[in-house]
Every structure is written in C-alpha cells, then in structure tokens.
Amino acid sequence: MMEANRRRPGQWITMIGFCVAMEVILARFLSLHTWNLKIGFSFLPVVAAAYWGGPMAGGLTGALGDLIGALLFPVGAYFPGFTLSAFLDGAVYGTVFRKGIGKKQILLAVLIVQLGISLLLNTFWLTVLFQVSWKSLVLLRLFQCTTGIAIKFLVLHLVFPVLQRHLPKMA
C-alpha cells in the first residue's frame, strides 16, 4: 500500500468495499452477458478505485468484484483466469492514471485494457474454457473490443471531471 493508504486504512478498506459492491451490482445485475460477450458499466467502480488508490486498489477492486460476483451470482462456471484479467484491468488503470487523466492517458489505459486484456487475454481464457478456436473467437470479439474502446473513452472522458471534484486522489 502507498504511504497515504497506511495512514488511513479504514478509509481505504471502506472505499475498496464500496467499489467492489458497486462492481458486483453493475456486472451481475445491470449488464448483458453471453458466453463470449459482456457489455456493461462495471468498469466504472474499478476505474474510480484505481484513480483514488492506485494500481493495487484498482486491481483488488476488479479481482474481488469478479470473485465475489462469480461465487454469489454465477453467470457461468468460475474460471480464475478472468479474475486475473479483472485484477490486471484495475492495475492498468491505476498505473496509467498516476501520470494524469487527460485524453491521452484515458485512451492509453482503454487501449491496453481493451486490446491487451479483453481481446487477447480474455479470448485466450475463453478458448481454454470452451475449447473453441482462438482465431474464430477473436474475430467475434474484435467488434466488442473496438466498440468498447469508443464507449469507455467517451464515458471516462465525461466521468473524470466529476471524480476529480468529489473523490480526492489518495495514490
């Protein structure tokens, strides 16, 4: 944890807990799921935690949200690869947003998450889980990821001014 986090552990735990709860609600109840596609806004609490507390806070929020959501409200079989991906999503946002939250940083973070983690890594996890061809699956998921880049960039560009006003950065 960062030094600021050590000074206020109760606040850090409360914020992570709130963001995890919001991630579970948005991911499990307010998003669209199919076996190879997920559309929703569950990335927002992960991004908020990453902005507020850095890579570890973002990563923990993503991983705990995935794990708790999968255990309490399963959509399919639990697979730990997706929990790793969820951790990496939050860690990427937290790492990139340490340098600021301008358009360049938002675009960089979204590109890494959407292309590196969602398109490449999560597609690999799906091939392992469902024994399907990576080549055929990546073409299907390419549309989701490119659409996700545009939507996430736009949403984060609109949300960050609100976050900056109401959520003091800790990391």
Side-chain angles (χ1 to χ4, degrees), residues 145-166:
C145 291
T146 54
T147 305
I149 290 168
I151 291 170
K152 286 183 178 183
F153 175 80
L154 179 63
V155 169
L156 291 177
H157 181 67
L158 295 172
V159 166
F160 265 124
V162 176
L163 274 180
Q164 285 179 302
R165 280 196 309 271
H166 299 291

Side-chain angles (χ1 to χ4, degrees), residues 55-137:
M56 186 58 74
L60 283 174
T61 299
L64 289 172
D66 181 75
L67 182 62
I68 292 168
L71 295 174
L72 296 179
F73 311 105
V75 175
Y78 173 72
F79 186 74
F82 294 119
T83 303
L84 173 61
S85 292
F87 178 87
L88 292 173
D89 283 355
V92 165
Y93 285 122
T95 301
V96 173
F97 294 152
R98 279 185 165 175
K99 298 180 191 314
I101 51 169
K103 288 180 183 178
K104 288 180 184 176
Q105 288 86 4
I106 293 171
L107 183 60
L108 177 62
V110 168
L111 284 172
I112 292 170
V113 166
Q114 287 298 108
L115 297 177
I117 300 170
S118 184
L119 184 62
L120 297 178
L121 188 57
N122 285 349
T123 301
F124 173 72
W125 298 140
L126 288 168
T127 64
V128 170
L129 193 58
F130 294 105
Q131 301 298 306
V132 294
S133 158
W134 190 86
K135 190 174 183 180
S136 63
L137 193 55

Side-chain angles (χ1 to χ4, degrees), residues 25-86:
I25 291 167
L26 290 170
R28 301 300 167 163
F29 300 110
L30 300 173
S31 64
L32 172 69
H33 289 272
T34 65
W35 71 275
N36 68 338
L37 176 72
K38 179 181 170 187
I39 300 172
F41 293 97
S42 60
F43 69 96
L44 287 173
V46 175
V47 168
Y51 166 74
W52 181 78
M56 186 58 74
L60 283 174
T61 299
L64 289 172
D66 181 75
L67 182 62
I68 292 168
L71 295 174
L72 296 179
F73 311 105
V75 175
Y78 173 72
F79 186 74
F82 294 119
T83 303
L84 173 61
S85 292

Side-chain angles (χ1 to χ4, degrees), residues 2 4-5 50-55 94 98 168-171:
M2 306 303 292
N5 294 342
Y51 166 74
W52 181 78
R98 279 185 165 175
K169 198 170 183 181
M170 231 179 142

